[in-house]
Amino acid sequence: MNKIKLFALLFGMGTMMIVSCQKKEDAPPAPDPDPILGGTFLFTGTSPMGVCYGPYHIGDFKATPFTQSPGTHIPASQIDTDLEMIAQHFSFFRTYTQSDGMDTIPYFAQKHNLQVALGVWVYPNDAAKTTEEAKTAVRLAKQYPQQVRCITVSNEPKNVGVTFARVVEVMNEVHGLMQAAGVSKPLSSCIQGPEVKNAQVILDACKSLNDADNRYIFLTIYPYGGQIYNPTPYNTPGDIKANMEYSYGNAIKPCEDAGLKVIIGEMGWPSGTDDNETQRPTEWENNANMATNYAASLSWIRGNNQGSAIFPANKVYTTFWFEMFDEPWKLGEPRGVGPCYGLYYNNPDPAPKFNITN
């Protein structure tokens, strides 16, 4: 190669390197991940707030038997209508069972562009029915991979007579079914926040049955309960800071320290009490307080929660508001609030209790 050709070659390479470096330097920096839609979140959408959905919401407190309660087959048309209403406010929701017609959920979720955390109910005295739930959930997760974002086994098991060990047995059963079907989804469970210290076997299962990117735990956290049973200084539905800092220190942080991502599986405020007769607002349980608490909760989970040594960082938490519809069959709960947690009243043509923004 003569000197002229060599010089031209070296000059060209140098020019390319300069241009390349200039382009690299001049290129705008990659945008920061959206705080709501960041890669660590299981669900996508413009808000971290989803909703809990139970289909048994038509009936009367005084009617016996109730028009709808667990064991009632829910028509597909009702589920279709329900999910259409959910889609007006939310982009994702969670369920608790595959029974009573709920196996149609992913189909209608697809229709209404919704994502779902699919629930598997653990029946205390019916292993065969529990297995059927597990099989159905895995089949639907495989059939509707975009809609079904995860499978959640049981909900507050101690409240329904199910041991943590039994929940883990079912989680292992579901995991085996998922492997056999070639389904790769996060597999989790939902426990009460105060039970974290006793539920190590469930935390361990949420880790061992998932890869590092899919280790989630659902926790139920209710500032309402903290304020009702500790009325001073927890005395306003619009100020949940002290309640949530307590829950963070005693439930959320221990789970995060154990290597799990926390999803708030239930959070809510009742609008009335049943008294076995009718829905009656009280000083605490009324639509106005529900609306106030919903706004405060939404602000907190969006990351507006900085300000103390207990909770030093703004963090966004995927959360499910409990619940979409009132369920009249839930009698006998403390303070009679069981049927009154819905954002919508219970009837064949439900109406919202306040202007829901998300």
Side-chain angles (χ1 to χ4, degrees):
M1 182 179 294
N2 62 39
K3 291 182 179 180
I4 295 175
K5 288 184 177 179
L6 178 61
F7 176 80
L9 178 62
L10 292 173
F11 178 82
M13 291 176 64
T15 302
M16 289 175 63
M17 289 176 66
I18 292 170
V19 171
S20 176
C21 289
Q22 285 179 335
K23 285 182 179 179
K24 198 167 187 179
E25 290 173 357
D26 295 341
D32 292 330
D34 187 285
I36 305 302
L37 304 178
T40 60
F41 293 93
L42 183 56
F43 304 91
T44 59
T46 58
S47 172
M49 183 74 86
V51 71
C52 302
Y53 172 55
Y56 317 104
H57 64 82
I58 296 176
D60 189 290
F61 296 121
K62 295 176 286 186
T64 305
F66 296 109
T67 306
Q68 290 185 354
S69 61
T72 305
H73 182 82
I74 306 301
S77 58
Q78 180 179 320
I79 292 175
D80 186 13
T81 300
D82 288 352
L83 267 57
E84 182 179 14
M85 281 187 277
I86 288 174
Q88 293 173 14
H89 310 289
F90 304 97
S91 61
F92 59 92
F93 66 104
R94 66 172 293 209
T95 64
Y96 297 85
T97 181
Q98 299 306 305
S99 300
D100 302 338
M102 291 286 279
D103 56 335
T104 62
I105 286 287
Y107 170 81
F108 291 114
Q110 183 181 62
K111 176 181 176 180
H112 298 293
N113 195 29
L114 290 164
Q115 298 173 343
V116 58
L118 214 57
V120 170
W121 194 253
V122 179
Y123 295 89
N125 300 306
D126 198 333
K129 192 170 183 180
T130 300
T131 294
E132 284 305 309
E133 291 244 343
K135 290 179 178 178
T136 300
V138 172
R139 172 177 61 80
L140 294 172
K142 184 177 180 68
Q143 187 175 357
Y144 297 93
Q146 298 304 313
Q147 278 63 53
V148 178
R149 306 299 288 184
C150 66
I151 295 176
T152 307
V153 175
S154 188
N155 186 74
E156 297 186 349
K158 288 294 183 72
N159 279 351
V160 292
V162 176
T163 66
F164 294 149
R166 175 59 180 147
V167 173
V168 172
E169 285 181 2
V170 179
M171 290 179 71
N172 279 299
E173 181 179 10
V174 173
H175 184 254
L177 292 168
M178 291 170 68
Q179 287 186 312
V183 172
S184 178
K185 299 281 181 185
L187 176 60
S188 186
S189 184
C190 185
I191 59 176
Q192 290 177 294
E195 290 288 353
V196 166
K197 60 184 179 296
N198 301 317
Q200 190 61 49
V201 291
I202 289 183
L203 305 189
D204 290 344
C206 290
K207 288 183 67 174
S208 65
L209 298 178
N210 296 283
D211 61 42
D213 292 330
N214 290 313
R215 292 170 176 167
Y216 293 87
I217 183 70
F218 286 55
L219 302 177
T220 65
I221 295 172
Y222 284 89
Y224 166 77
Q227 296 197 24
I228 287 298
Y229 296 111
N230 300 282
T232 304
Y234 312 107
N235 56 7
T236 169
D239 182 4
I240 64 171
K241 181 173 180 287
N243 302 98
M244 294 308 294
E245 287 183 348
Y246 176 86
S247 294
Y248 178 78
N250 290 276
I252 296 174
K253 189 175 186 297
C255 289
E256 292 179 339
D257 289 345
L260 298 174
K261 300 172 189 176
V262 170
I263 290 176
I264 300 178
E266 289 184 8
M267 172 186 273
W269 191 283
S271 63
T273 62
D274 60 70
D275 288 331
N276 293 317
E277 293 179 0
T278 186
Q279 199 165 9
R280 303 200 296 192
T282 72
E283 180 182 355
W284 276 91
E285 299 93 1
N286 54 57
N287 289 356
N289 278 356
M290 175 185 273
T292 297
N293 184 256
Y294 181 89
S297 301
L298 181 59
S299 177
W300 194 94
I301 68 168
R302 277 186 174 274
N304 300 316
N305 45 38
Q306 187 173 6
S308 76
I310 299 174
F311 195 90
N314 297 93
K315 292 186 178 182
V316 175
Y317 283 94
T318 299
T319 300
F320 293 87
W321 184 264
F322 187 82
E323 59 186 332
M324 184 64 182
F325 300 102
D326 279 344
E327 295 185 312
W329 58 274
K330 290 184 176 177
L331 300 176
E333 294 195 8
R335 294 179 65 86
V337 297
C340 308
Y341 274 95
L343 293 169
Y344 278 65
Y345 291 106
N346 67 292
N347 55 55
D349 186 20
K353 298 175 182 177
F354 60 91
N355 182 30
I356 302 166
T357 58
N358 202 17

